Amino acid sequence: MARPVTLFTGQWADLGIQDLARMCSEFGYDGIELACWGDHFEVDRANAEDDYCAKKRELLDSHGLQCLAISAHLVGQAVCDIIDQRHQLILPSYVWGDGDPAGVNERAIEEMKQTARAAQKMGVSVVNGFTGSSIWHLLYSFPPVSAQMIDDGFKLFADRFNPILDVFAECGVKFALEVHPTEIAFDIHTAQRALEALDHRPEFGFNFDPSHLIWQGMDPEKFIRAFPDRIYHVHVKDAIVKLDGTSGILSSHINFGDHRRGWDFRSPGRGGVNFEEIIRALNDIDYQGPLSIEWEDSGMERCFGATEACKFTKELDFAPSGRAFDQAFEDGNA
């Protein structure tokens, strides 16, 4: 049975959910991964209003759409980050408050707990998101960065996320970190260290997204095989590396969509990700969850891109074989 193909709504939050649900159905999607911003999924209302989740389900059902995950990337970013004015742009006003950094961290922690409770009410078992990181700015070790500074960053992550994950455990919901630059885990080694910092508690796993791995020089398939029991959700997203001798992999403070960048996101199937090997690896670990398209391509009209990406992903996916291809020889000689 094919895995459901869903659309992550984070990049579509300028549209109301009524219109977007209709569009997703027209694009050909099986479901929708609701972002916890815009009016797509409002955590405060989900917990305060008895009929909020039921009405959201009714809307999606009317368009033949499933909802298998919600995503709290923006608030999650503020849990471990060193807070500055950038965060005001991405946070609900009640989480930003007066902008005092310690207060923002505390309110973000509480909002993530509330997100687990809202997910339970919505009947979804996975919340995707970010963690932020207090040590991302220490990535390049000059001035020299001591091992203790990195240790402290992972300890702070554990201190702040364990109470959040306690609530996730109470609610029967898993948190799936999208391994990503600016998060506590951004590659295989830091993902392993994040698991160790949390003593491998089962509430914490990963939202696998190959686009953030390939431009760093990694083979995304290897991430799946490194964490076969921790892939709780999958994003289908592509990227391309196009170093031309003038730009570097750090992209020179040039924003997405500019041809001078050393790498950029692309619509699925139009970048450098080998999705064939990813599907085979997902089959090997028996991943049965959705393939959720996170559509980002600054050079392509998004409705065209989302429609094409849905078709691409549905044609890409296939079930594993239950037998060896040459088993017929043995069966015929039995």
Side-chain angles (χ1 to χ4, degrees), residues 7-18 20 33-41 74 90 295 302:
L7 181 72
F8 174 45
T9 71
Q11 290 76 17
W12 305 73
D14 57 309
L15 301 178
I17 191 59
Q18 294 268 358
L20 185 57
E33 176 193 343
L34 292 170
C36 296
W37 54 92
D39 73 341
H40 295 187
F41 192 80
L74 304 187
I90 65 172
W295 193 86
R302 66 179 175 177

Side-chain angles (χ1 to χ4, degrees), residues 157-167 197-199 201 203:
F157 157 68
D159 289 346
R160 292 186 181 177
F161 252 85
N162 269 318
I164 294 170
L165 294 172
D166 288 343
V167 179
L198 297 172
D199 199 24
R201 59 184 302 169
E203 296 81 24

